[in-house]
Amino acid sequence: MLIEGCWSNEDRTIEDGAYVRAPSPYGDPLDESIVCAIVAEPGRFHLVASLSCPWSHRSTLARAIKGLEAYVPVHIAGAPRTEGYRLGTVDQPWVVPGTDCKIEHLHELYTFADPGYTGRATVAVLWDAEQQVIVSNESVHILRGLDGIRSNYGPDWTLRPDSLAQEIDTLADLVQRELSNAVYRAGKARRQDAYDEAVSEVFATFVMLDDRLSRTRYLHGNTLTETDIRLWPTLARFDAVYHGHFKCSQQRLTDYEHLWGYARDIHSWPGVEATFDEPAIRTAYYGEDRDENPFGIVATAPIVDWQEPHGRQRLGVKEVTLRDGRTVPKALWDESTSDQPTPSQPAAKT
């Protein structure tokens, strides 16, 4: 973490033997002017993400599913980590968009924006190259900001229909607390009771979700929503790293018929597979987390077939919800946009 702008190896995430996640310091929702500017000025806002981080994965999923690649370039922070996430090397530093500043580590972007910054240098980061500021490092608000973009072509659809907003918040908060963050509380626990409590929450949530998904194609019916996007990165990592590395070993995702089929269903959506790099995930968790795995041994990958037919169509046709509240089959939406032009100033992906 950074302390008054200086890098420190101090870890303040463990309190009394339990893992505690700090709030995002740039955690305000994206205001309407930023959402509009993303469309009006393609390439001005840059998404800094990691292939391994489940929180930043939410942002790259939203970008892919909503078809925003031409508006928001993405920069992948990679391993090996010496001072947190790396964006470049000594020989090939990363040039901060909108500046001539060359950096190697993500934390240098934080101190470029705020020389006295104290806190963790996390992803995802939405960077404004024009104002040279961090707009947000809270994945949920970045996701919602990207979802709020009203594209200049095709139907305007949303992952957060007004009619489901309260239900989305309630279920997404539970999933965040008792699954997505609970796997970290289990894996990083320094007390047996803290570990036991976290693991109990993880598998109780799995049972609840599996039962819910026995009746509906997605978490809120046949339409894909924000809750699905917030849950999927945890499911995608479960058998690969959480089951073994984080000791959530009671059962695997593949042991849950409906939840596993649902995970494969979302994996089949256009754009999703390109955001998912399991070898990078496994290398980062096992190879970089030397507190839990001091020798950096990467465990053998479990046998998982993400291409296996999911059979979820028996529960209904997958749908998207338009901004005006109407739902339409996803296939019809795809047909209506297939011949539409892309933005006139596409932004390159790096």
Side-chain angles (χ1 to χ4, degrees), residues 51-349:
L51 294 174
S52 62
C53 173
W55 319 112
S56 73
H57 197 176
R58 297 166 170 177
S59 304
T60 56
L61 277 173
R63 174 180 175 271
I65 288 174
K66 294 300 295 285
L68 303 176
E69 293 91 341
Y71 293 109
V72 184
V74 64
H75 306 277
I76 299 300
R81 302 177 198 166
T82 53
E83 296 179 11
Y85 289 106
R86 297 183 70 97
L87 291 170
T89 64
V90 174
D91 295 330
Q92 293 184 307
W94 185 62
V95 180
V96 177
T99 79
D100 57 3
C101 178
K102 297 179 180 180
I103 63 176
E104 294 179 49
H105 301 96
L106 176 64
H107 71 75
E108 295 175 89
L109 184 65
Y110 277 74
T111 53
F112 183 88
D114 177 6
Y117 177 82
T118 293
R120 298 178 65 221
T122 61
V123 286
V125 168
L126 188 63
W127 172 258
D128 183 345
E130 180 179 295
Q131 299 295 323
Q132 298 177 15
V133 296
I134 293 175
V135 174
S136 177
N137 71 341
E138 170 51 65
S139 63
V140 172
H141 291 317
I142 296 174
L143 186 164
R144 289 180 180 174
L146 296 178
D147 180 52
I149 292 174
R150 297 179 180 273
S151 175
N152 58 4
Y153 64 94
D156 186 23
W157 69 286
T158 179
L159 290 162
R160 188 179 171 80
D162 290 341
S163 61
L164 291 174
Q166 184 173 354
E167 187 178 347
I168 285 172
D169 287 344
T170 299
L171 183 57
D173 288 348
L174 183 151
V175 167
Q176 165 77 8
R177 183 177 63 253
E178 299 187 10
L179 178 57
S180 298
N181 193 51
V183 295
Y184 276 81
R185 288 166 41 222
K188 295 183 176 296
R190 299 293 186 270
R191 297 195 328 262
Q192 186 68 46
D193 63 323
Y195 164 79
D196 291 340
E197 179 182 3
V199 168
S200 177
E201 291 177 6
V202 166
F203 290 102
T205 305
F206 264 17
V207 170
M208 179 274 291
L209 292 173
D210 192 62
D211 177 66
R212 185 182 184 111
L213 291 165
S214 70
R215 300 183 296 275
T216 63
R217 185 157 184 177
Y218 303 113
L219 290 173
H220 300 288
N222 288 343
T223 186
L224 192 76
T225 68
E226 174 189 304
T227 320
D228 301 299
I229 303 305
R230 292 173 65 173
L231 169 62
W232 195 79
T234 297
L235 301 183
R237 287 157 177 74
F238 197 85
D239 287 5
V241 289
Y242 299 149
H243 180 270
H245 183 55
F246 276 2
K247 300 182 287 292
C248 295
S249 50
Q250 180 175 309
Q251 288 185 284
R252 291 174 55 184
L253 171 65
T254 53
D255 295 326
Y256 295 85
E257 176 187 357
H258 309 294
L259 195 57
W260 172 224
Y262 158 86
R264 300 199 311 278
D265 188 357
I266 293 179
H267 180 267
S268 72
W269 275 65
V272 170
E273 185 175 6
T275 71
F276 177 44
D277 188 333
E278 185 175 324
I281 290 168
R282 292 172 54 73
T283 297
Y285 275 84
Y286 281 103
E288 300 293 332
D289 187 358
R290 296 304 177 95
D291 287 341
E292 310 304 325
N293 189 30
F295 298 105
I297 303 299
V298 179
T300 300
I303 299 174
V304 176
D305 183 5
W306 283 96
Q307 307 299 334
E308 178 187 350
H310 54 72
R312 300 289 291 173
Q313 58 270 21
R314 72 184 186 279
L315 294 170
V317 175
K318 60 184 179 183
E319 300 173 338
V320 295
T321 301
L322 305 184
R323 197 80 61 180
D324 62 13
R326 292 177 296 139
T327 58
V328 298
K330 179 65 165 60
L332 293 181
W333 186 89
D334 289 338
E335 290 175 5
S336 71
T337 59
S338 60
D339 296 326
Q340 297 293 337
T342 57
S344 58
Q345 299 179 39
K349 174 180 176 180

